[in-house]
Amino acid sequence: MIFGYSLSDLWSIFVMQSFSGLSLFSVLLLMALGLTIIFGQMGVVNLAHGEFMAMGAYTVYLCSTIVQRHCPSLTPYYFLVAIVLAFCVCSLFGLLVEWSLIRFLYKRPLDSLLATWGLSLILQQSFRSIFGAREVTPVLPNWLMGAFNVTSTIQLPINGVFVMGLTLVLTLGIWFFLYHSRIGLNMRATVENRVMSGAAGINTKLVDRFTFSLGCGIAGVAGAAFTTIGSTGPDSGSRYIVDSFLVVVFGGMTRLVGTIVSAFGIAQGQSIAQFFMEGTMGKVMILLVVVVILMIRPKGLFASKIRS
Amino acid sequence: MSSNTDFLLSIEDLTVSFDGFKAVDSLNLYVDRGELRVIIGPNGAGKTTLLDMICGKTRPTDGSIKFRNQELVGKTEYAIVRAGVGRKFQTPSIYENLTVFENLEISYPKGHSVLGCLMFRRTSEIVERVHQIAEEISLKEFLDLEGAFLSHGQKQWLEIGMLLMQEPELIMLDEPVAGMSTLEREQTAELIKRICKDRCILVIEHDMEFVSRIAHKVTVLHLGKLLAEGTMEEIRNNPKVIDVYLGH
Amino acid sequence: MNILYNRILGGKTGARGLLVMAIVLLIGIPCALNPFWVNLVGKYLCFAFTALGLALLWGRAGILSLGQGLFFGLGGYCMAMFLKLEASDPISTKIQSTPGIPDFMDWNQLKHLPALWVPFKSLPFSLFAVVALPTLVAFIVGLAMFKRRVGGVYFAIITQALALIFSLGIDGNQGYTGGRNGITDLKTMWGWDIRTRHAQYILYFATCLLLLLSVALLQWLLSGKMGKMLSAMREREDRLRFSGYDVSMFKIFVFCVAAVLSGIGGALFVLQVGFIAPSLVGIVPSIEMVIFVAIGGRASFFGVIYGALLVNAGKSLLSDAFPQAWLFCMGGLFIGVVMLFPNGLAGGWDWWCKKAWPYLMPAAKDRSVKQPAAEFAEVSTKGQNP
């Protein structure tokens, strides 16, 4: 008997906490992916990234409200459309933000940090003014409710499975896109050597704009996925932003693998710790562990040795 | 593990690899006190990397660097500097918003700790030394000018001056005359020959005219390995060197 | 006398600035404003301490910290713990199930005072802790990070995480720290009632004097070689290493000084406002402190103090009148200060003195004061490598 639970109980707890940890992992991973793309590729720290996530969530909520008001019969089908819409809305808005603000801030990480914090304040207040200060939830389609009963003591919620599946698809998609497509190649080339890329005929400004809006679009999808596991309020974004950045920094920022492992570790750590310690203390412990590890190994888990 | 007590700088079996690529491969190099050694070679030969390793900026994967019989590998940059090694970088690296005087003063080897810095007093000894060095590098009239306003050549001299303030026994100069006019090159050659008296100097250069003016001995690197070594005459006539670097 | 004038008072500009500030703070404000507002200004000045620290840390040394709230909180909580213990003497708390301990501990069924709290019964210890604890934490964090050459954005994010950890840690431990509500109902310090108007005025003047003293101290610090060192470090850290300096120790030093200043600000805050809570020490307040500094003009000590006063005053006025508008304004300020006026108030003042005023008054004598123009003209791009 440990902590007053039997071994088999512990196992069930472990599996279920791991699973809820996986949902958190999905959100963190999606956020971190977007951030890595933006920071790792463009040297821009986007503290408003959380607000793009919230924007995706609010888009789904809006879709839900419209569907409920005008054609409730479409409820089972609207959700997937809403996710796509969330991506589009967020990437378009990202495009606007890049054009008006971000493009002046390349390679100025500290400045972009401050400016995007300002942006996040403005966005948060906009959400508050438009949607109200209370948290909202979209009406989820029936097929997302309920749980799989894997064994008698282990139940896996369907929405969690959905979120994970979505994350998997998206991560694979991004990896494929970055490493096996023409545009992805252009993006990576621009990051490596902007001047050369420009000389080779790549329109670096356009690539930057595209990169940023892609990052924001991914955040939008993260937000849409997030609506299945939690409610959305004006400051939902800021709740995850520090964690997401820690995931990015912890993962080493150079390889996708690093980000994935890092997000997994941090999410699972938090989830399991939160079961055994009261609410926030679990999170505190994990964050502390991450920060201490970062102090010992500042480049993160997977940084490679490059010649300066 | 032999200890070469006669050489001021002895490098043995030095190797560094970046993700599999060997920038410097089993290099052996010995420099005497009072010697002016020039290192030449095509781009990518590993010259700058060699200097990086000596001054502690890059860590070698193998080999040893002994300076006055002290092992330098593994020491931090500032510890190596305090041991008596000074380096001048390829692009002039001075403190642009400090005056020439302040640039030199900051390089004075006193008051380097936090407490020492707080308690620092500009003594007459320091002032004298600054004036002396400024004279040496032909910047005596510009002592109150901010570094940003110096010409390219003057910035290079200022950097050499800052090195001299540290009173090093080994000075490393990475392309000291890049971007200088002919007259400035002559003056720099004279300056370097003057300061060579009690120290050993390592120079990386591409300007063969300049090299022949100052070198006691020349080392040629190619693809991280030692290609040839000898006086300027010997090197000039070495067929391997001509093939790889000097051209016909 | 020379040392006093040139180094501590900061020469002509410094002495003038100190005089103006002294007049504004010690005479102007108390005469012009009612006691409520004087107390508010006193509160703002506590934030000015952290702003001063950041002006040194960020403005002069080029190290951005997004977690100064941590040190503000450490100082504040140390002071609050002392005051709370004093207010929780057995007589006033006799209705509690366990008299003699703070009320929130009682609510959480604690039966005796936790060991951590016991030393704070003594005022000397508490005062010592206000200064020592932030220094210790800053030293450890600085040592861990600066020795490993962590700087720029990484450092900023980690300091932010530390502030978050601190505020969450306090939040989640209601029994030990008062939790989300913080430590409230503070009454007296060594028998002296800090809530009376009389006391508030005294605390206000004490804060002002300490602030002016801090400015003088910082000016002295930077007037000699240290100032040049920091300037060189901000510009060319590598080069400094090759000149034989252990740069990390200087960064640690500056970080600790900024931490102490923030801690003192926190303690004075608690004295003037009468409570502290985790919402005052987390990421949001920490980043707000940065905006005071950015608005004031990063490297100027006077600028950041005025910046802190202005932004806080604006916040109080605006959020009363137009609560929705305030966040928009602040967001706009952040963006504006990065894009449009990176040199803040100090830069504006500089422009006025050097360009506008001589243009308007061509007869005015040319004051050839050696302004650290390079510092003000320093736009954000320097030293930003992640």
Side-chain angles (χ1 to χ4, degrees):
Chain A
M1 295 278 281
I2 316 175
F3 293 101
Y5 296 102
S6 73
L7 228 52
S8 69
D9 277 344
L10 268 184
W11 174 247
S12 306
I13 293 173
F14 180 74
V15 171
M16 289 202 287
Q17 284 303 112
S18 306
F19 199 73
S20 73
L22 282 176
S23 302
L24 178 61
F25 158 64
S26 311
V27 174
L28 282 184
L29 178 62
L30 287 175
M31 289 274 280
L33 277 177
L35 278 177
T36 312
I37 289 178
I38 294 177
F39 182 45
Q41 311 279 64
M42 308 193 320
V44 166
V45 179
N46 183 17
L47 278 184
H49 204 75
E51 273 59 47
F52 280 97
M53 182 190 112
M55 197 180 293
Y58 274 118
T59 308
V60 172
Y61 170 69
L62 217 55
C63 287
S64 160
T65 324
I66 294 176
V67 161
Q68 292 306 307
R69 196 165 300 176
H70 299 288
C71 34
S73 55
L74 283 180
T75 311
Y77 311 108
Y78 89 95
F79 196 73
L80 292 173
V81 174
I83 294 183
V84 174
L85 201 60
F87 179 86
C88 296
V89 165
C90 292
S91 37
L92 279 173
F93 195 75
L95 217 67
L96 178 66
V97 167
E98 199 278 344
W99 173 79
S100 57
L101 183 65
I102 306 292
R103 69 183 159 125
F104 303 109
L105 300 173
Y106 288 123
K107 297 305 173 196
R108 290 164 61 181
L110 293 182
D111 281 352
S112 60
L113 196 151
L114 293 178
T116 53
W117 180 262
L119 179 66
S120 95
L121 289 180
I122 294 179
L123 285 174
Q124 275 184 40
Q125 188 53 43
S126 311
F127 294 147
R128 202 167 283 132
S129 306
I130 301 175
F131 296 102
R134 282 177 312 128
E135 308 215 328
V136 295
T137 328
V139 174
L140 297 174
N142 281 333
W143 51 268
L144 269 181
M145 316 278 218
F148 292 122
N149 286 335
V150 180
T151 75
S152 57
T153 44
I154 300 181
Q155 290 185 315
L156 299 181
I158 299 184
N159 55 8
V161 177
F162 175 74
V163 166
M164 267 168 43
L166 183 62
T167 309
L168 192 69
V169 167
L170 207 57
T171 310
L172 281 174
I174 292 172
W175 174 78
F176 192 78
F177 179 74
L178 269 184
Y179 291 96
H180 294 274
S181 80
R182 183 90 210 166
I183 309 181
L185 185 63
N186 285 357
M187 273 170 63
R188 284 183 292 133
T190 311
V191 165
E192 291 287 338
N193 193 330
R194 187 170 290 261
V195 176
M196 245 351 258
S197 305
I202 300 177
N203 185 338
T204 53
K205 282 208 182 69
L206 223 57
V207 170
D208 288 337
R209 197 154 297 166
F210 180 77
T211 309
F212 188 78
S213 69
L214 178 66
C216 295
I218 298 174
V221 175
F226 176 70
T227 58
T228 64
I229 55 178
S231 53
T232 315
D235 51 3
S236 297
S238 58
R239 216 173 292 166
Y240 290 103
I241 191 76
V242 177
D243 300 47
S244 308
F245 267 107
L246 279 183
V247 165
V248 172
V249 174
F250 195 55
M253 287 201 342
T254 45
R255 284 151 63 181
L256 212 57
V257 170
T259 317
I260 295 175
V261 172
S262 164
F264 187 78
I266 293 182
Q268 288 296 34
Q270 270 194 33
S271 173
I272 296 181
Q274 269 171 344
F275 187 81
F276 291 111
M277 300 188 223
E278 293 201 36
T280 38
M281 282 316 283
K283 180 162 177 164
V284 169
M285 285 308 341
I286 295 299
L287 286 183
L288 204 56
V289 167
V290 170
V291 168
V292 168
I293 295 182
L294 271 177
M295 290 208 212
I296 299 177
R297 201 186 149 87
K299 286 298 180 183
L301 294 176
F302 283 83
S304 58
K305 182 175 178 179
I306 0 164
R307 179 182 176 179
S308 46
Chain B
M1 208 33 130
S2 62
S3 77
N4 300 41
T5 41
D6 10 327
F7 293 111
L8 192 62
L9 178 71
S10 77
I11 296 175
E12 290 185 325
D13 270 331
L14 196 63
T15 309
V16 70
S17 84
F18 296 109
D19 276 344
F21 167 67
K22 280 201 176 142
V24 171
D25 195 359
S26 304
L27 186 67
N28 291 308
L29 194 75
Y30 305 95
V31 189
D32 257 318
R33 188 170 269 118
E35 181 181 335
L36 210 168
R37 178 75 64 94
V38 182
I39 302 180
I40 63 174
N43 281 323
K47 312 187 293 290
T48 305
T49 315
L50 174 61
L51 292 199
D52 283 346
M53 286 191 282
I54 300 176
C55 75
K57 194 159 171 222
T58 307
R59 235 200 126 109
T61 35
D62 210 0
S64 103
I65 303 175
K66 283 218 177 71
F67 173 66
R68 286 195 300 175
N69 261 330
Q70 275 176 49
E71 181 63 53
L72 291 186
V73 174
K75 284 202 169 141
T76 60
E77 289 105 322
Y78 67 87
I80 294 181
V81 167
R82 291 187 197 176
V85 177
R87 176 181 178 174
K88 187 198 144 330
F89 289 85
Q90 226 166 331
T91 44
S93 171
I94 58 169
Y95 306 117
E96 309 257 325
N97 56 4
L98 297 182
T99 62
V100 171
F101 188 95
E102 289 166 345
N103 263 280
L104 292 171
E105 186 184 30
I106 238 182
S107 312
Y108 189 72
K110 268 242 151 44
H112 278 192
S113 65
V114 173
L115 206 60
C117 198
L118 287 173
M119 299 287 123
F120 187 78
R121 292 265 170 278
R122 187 178 284 180
T123 61
S124 52
E125 185 191 323
I126 298 178
V127 176
E128 218 179 279
R129 180 134 178 86
V130 170
H131 280 278
Q132 188 195 354
I133 302 281
E135 174 102 46
E136 186 97 45
I137 55 174
S138 328
L139 288 179
K140 190 125 189 224
E141 305 88 60
F142 301 100
L143 278 174
D144 284 320
L145 192 63
E146 266 178 36
F149 298 121
L150 293 175
S151 75
H152 180 85
Q154 287 173 318
K155 284 185 187 170
Q156 306 263 44
W157 293 337
L158 176 58
E159 210 180 335
I160 295 179
M162 285 160 73
L163 275 185
L164 291 174
M165 287 291 291
Q166 290 163 217
E167 293 168 26
E169 278 190 61
L170 167 65
I171 295 186
M172 304 192 288
L173 303 173
D174 199 340
E175 296 189 39
V177 293
M180 280 194 190
S181 66
T182 329
L183 179 61
E184 286 174 328
R185 279 169 205 247
E186 276 176 33
Q187 290 173 298
T188 311
E190 293 309 309
L191 172 62
I192 294 181
K193 284 201 282 195
R194 269 200 310 269
I195 64 180
C196 190
K197 295 287 161 45
D198 320 288
R199 317 179 164 88
C200 74
I201 305 191
L202 258 128
V203 180
I204 295 181
E205 242 318 319
H206 287 293
D207 181 355
M208 288 301 122
E209 161 81 55
F210 181 76
V211 173
S212 58
R213 218 196 277 260
I214 62 170
H216 296 169
K217 218 162 145 188
V218 176
T219 300
V220 186
L221 290 185
H222 180 53
L223 293 180
K225 293 197 176 62
L226 186 80
L227 186 67
E229 209 166 69
T231 64
M232 194 61 204
E233 270 310 304
E234 294 168 7
I235 294 298
R236 231 198 276 260
N237 297 319
N238 186 318
K240 283 194 284 177
V241 177
I242 294 175
D243 237 348
V244 152
Y245 186 51
L246 293 175
H248 298 276
Chain C
M1 208 48 221
N2 216 17
I3 297 182
L4 186 66
Y5 186 64
N6 275 321
R7 297 194 64 181
I8 297 185
L9 293 180
K12 201 160 175 187
T13 30
R16 211 166 35 188
L18 267 177
L19 189 64
V20 167
M21 180 162 277
I23 294 177
V24 166
L25 290 181
L26 295 172
I27 303 176
I29 304 256
C31 292
L33 301 174
N34 62 44
F36 172 72
W37 271 96
V38 171
N39 181 249
L40 266 183
V41 172
K43 176 174 122 177
Y44 302 157
L45 288 177
C46 298
F47 295 124
F49 275 93
T50 57
L52 259 188
L54 273 171
L56 176 68
L57 186 63
W58 185 30
R60 302 292 173 128
I63 305 166
L64 177 61
S65 159
L66 291 177
Q68 292 302 91
L70 165 65
F71 305 114
F72 185 81
L74 282 173
Y77 268 90
C78 284
M79 181 57 83
M81 282 159 84
F82 168 75
L83 294 172
K84 187 67 177 172
L85 284 177
E86 191 171 312
S88 309
D89 60 280
I91 307 167
S92 344
T93 57
K94 59 179 186 284
I95 55 167
Q96 292 176 188
S97 45
T98 317
I101 60 172
D103 43 18
F104 55 84
M105 292 190 186
D106 198 48
W107 302 333
N108 281 276
Q109 325 295 348
L110 260 71
K111 292 295 166 218
H112 51 248
L113 201 64
L116 188 68
W117 278 71
V118 173
F120 287 93
K121 282 192 175 159
S122 118
L123 182 61
F125 176 81
S126 304
L127 289 177
F128 172 71
V130 163
V131 171
L133 198 55
T135 312
L136 186 66
V137 172
F139 186 76
I140 295 175
V141 171
L143 198 67
M145 303 230 255
F146 296 133
K147 280 279 182 201
R148 289 197 173 72
R149 317 272 170 98
V150 177
V153 173
Y154 286 102
F155 182 76
I157 290 179
I158 292 186
T159 54
Q160 199 179 39
L162 284 171
L164 179 64
I165 292 173
F166 183 64
S167 62
L168 281 183
I170 292 188
D171 199 80
N173 271 306
Q174 215 207 20
Y176 291 87
T177 63
R180 188 162 300 184
N181 303 321
I183 303 183
T184 55
D185 285 330
L186 305 173
K187 302 188 186 91
T188 61
M189 178 167 98
W190 249 2
W192 177 53
D193 193 333
I194 55 174
R195 297 165 297 175
T196 65
R197 184 150 296 175
H198 177 72
Q200 286 188 347
Y201 268 94
I202 294 189
L203 285 169
Y204 171 78
F205 285 115
T207 308
C208 291
L209 284 170
L210 274 172
L211 194 64
L212 291 166
L213 223 74
S214 304
V215 174
L217 180 72
L218 285 179
Q219 278 183 170
W220 171 78
L221 212 68
L222 293 173
S223 59
K225 184 172 174 184
M226 181 62 86
K228 305 202 187 97
M229 260 294 302
L230 292 180
S231 176
M233 187 173 85
R234 188 181 68 229
E235 202 200 326
R236 275 242 153 104
E237 191 180 310
D238 278 3
R239 188 71 192 80
L240 215 53
R241 245 179 233 120
F242 288 112
S243 296
Y245 289 86
D246 184 0
V247 171
S248 56
M249 288 317 290
F250 287 90
K251 290 186 172 179
I252 295 174
F253 174 70
V254 169
F255 193 43
C256 289
V257 172
V260 170
L261 285 171
S262 301
I264 294 178
L268 288 168
F269 179 87
V270 168
L271 281 170
Q272 293 191 74
V273 170
F275 79 98
I276 190 142
S279 59
L280 289 163
V281 307
I283 15 177
V284 174
S286 298
I287 215 174
E288 273 183 20
M289 292 168 189
V290 172
I291 198 69
F292 309 151
V293 177
I295 297 256
R298 240 164 273 202
S300 154
F301 298 136
F302 300 115
V304 304
I305 296 179
Y306 291 124
L309 286 175
L310 264 153
V311 175
N312 276 296
K315 182 176 182 179
S316 297
L317 289 168
L318 263 167
S319 44
D320 273 344
F322 309 104
Q324 302 235 340
W326 170 244
L327 270 186
F328 284 123
C329 275
M330 190 133 85
L333 269 179
F334 270 96
I335 296 181
V337 106
V338 165
M339 310 275 280
L340 302 170
F341 41 98
N343 295 319
L345 290 175
W349 176 253
D350 211 38
W351 169 84
W352 175 259
C353 289
K354 288 225 171 102
K355 303 236 171 71
W357 184 249
Y359 181 77
L360 294 170
M361 295 269 152
K365 274 223 184 74
D366 195 30
R367 298 174 198 270
S368 57
V369 179
K370 183 156 198 305
Q371 284 272 15
E375 252 107 10
F376 290 152
E378 187 231 352
V379 189
S380 4
T381 43
K382 294 225 175 92
Q384 284 205 25
N385 298 311

